[in-house]
Amino acid sequence: MDNLYRENILDHYKNPRNFGKLQNPSASLKLYNSACGDEIEMQIQFRIHPPAGGSKFIIDDIRFSGQGCAISIASASMLTEKVKGKTIEKIQNLTTKDILKMLGVSLSPSRLKCAILPLEVLQKTAALAKEKENKV
Amino acid sequence: MFDTIKIQKDFPILKRKIHGLRLVYLDNAATTQKPKQVIKALVDFYSKHNANIHRGIHTLAEEATKMHEEARGKIAGFIHAATPREIIFVRNCTEAINLVVYSWGRKFLQRHDEVILSESEHHSNLVPWQFLVAELGIKLKFIPVTNEGLLDLKVYGKLLTQRTKMVSVVHISNVLGTVNPVEKIGEMAHKAGALFMIDAAQSLPRMPIDVQKINCDFLAASGHKMLGPTGIGFLYGKEKLLEAMPPFLGGGDMIREVYLDHSLWNGLPYKFEAGTPNIADAVAFGAAIDYLENLGLSNIFLHEKKLTEYALKKLLAMPEVTVYGPKTAEKRTGVISFSIRDIHPHDVAQILDREGIAIRSGFHCAMPLHQKLKLPATCRASFYIYNTEEDVDQLIEGIKKAIKTFKI
Ligand SMILES: Cc1ncc(COP(=O)(O)O)c(C=O)c1O
């Protein structure tokens, strides 16, 4: 916990990557962490691979917005970088462990919620996008 | 003289080291620490007197019953109730308010009746009333808070109508520490023909309260915020009102005669205390009241006022820090909510924890107040009898550390 506020976490907190909104997202979703008032919205745009009649959904672009503590914002920022170009299946398979590895810190249970919120939002957004696509 | 050093010696937990450092406990609005006298009362009860009450005629049952009722008597004396029958033991302040809502509210309120609360209520004095909006079609009105966080009594006067049946407000805000003028609010409520209830969760621990002088009809409080154990609190209600109210829960102890098709209720206060109560914690709550009375509530109030003043001065001198609510200690006490520019309260709380300092971060169960004052989640430092200027100094040092860590 001593190295919780490491340089890279503070950097992502102060200069979050992929922060903002997409023009035409395939799906977007906002969730709150009601205990602390954190709020994270994820927007994704995907493409189908291979282009003609492919079966893979690939994250083409992603943005997040919202407010939260250093841990939740850094987690969201790093996550968006990590998943760009990845398939939705891969995103659905990400776990808490992957997030902790990505952040490079260990967290107490109460802070874990902050770190996990972005992944939860992303996975739900991805599921939403896929659902929409299947309906078309 | 208010001897904090001597007081600190009574609190075993204050000897604990947090991350190798002295514990600076500034989360007293959430719950206070317990002196050894209270812990001893608990241990003594279970070691020497434990039995169920009101049932047995053996020695232990007699002793336990007597101790339980003595604790009730201490509370009655502490708040200057007319009789111990006006003190109903419950789990906490939240349950006390719910008791009034469920028992009094369901019986005496009808569609279109109005209940007035304030915008600075803790969720416990808001959510239960919302149940009655859904169930009975009553209407809730809110005394607005000014930008400073004080209740706007001019608007309150206009909210009162013939339909107003109850006014229920928080005495000391758990977010801003503002002390609301309950005598005046109650007087206006009574003039309009309404009843008046006080949420005293934060006030009873830190100022003298005389329910007859304030002339409130109900008052709710929790033991754990005033040196007592968790799991015990009480509702004060005027005897006449309590007599007219139906029981809240049914079962043992609350009945006089039971037949298969009906029962006759017990008298006060037992009518509202179904089942085996929290005997040991009530007894220890009594010990907490002894401790507080020994110190003197006026002295406690003065001590916290001075600390609040000291902390306000220091916090307001920091350009990175925003303090919410009144900027002087004149209209507030005990609790200070603040934020640090560009650092989320969680991160502040976490960095302070590394320094051994315990504060609270978040919305403090008063989300509507945060929305009204457009407050983000905030950091909250709250004081009690064992806190010193040194604790405040350490808080300030911790905040400086957070600012340094985040390089703002
Ligand atoms: C003003 C106020 N009212 C009510 C409560 C509820 O107290 P409890 O959780 O003990 O029922 C609190 C506690 O946080 C409070 O600060």
Side-chain angles (χ1 to χ4, degrees), chain A residues 1-2 4-5 7 10 13-14 36-38 68-71 111 114, chain B residues 342-344 346-348 350-351 354 361-363 377 405-408:
Chain A
M1 201 109 74
D2 278 323
L4 188 52
Y5 297 102
E7 214 44 60
L10 288 179
Y13 173 62
K14 289 182 182 172
C36 46
D38 286 355
C69 61
I71 302 300
R111 291 316 289 276
C114 312
Chain B
D342 295 335
I343 313 182
H344 193 278
H346 272 194
D347 297 316
V348 178
Q350 179 108 51
I351 291 170
R354 293 300 306 181
S361 61
F363 289 127
T405 306
F406 272 73
K407 300 191 189 72
I408 55 167

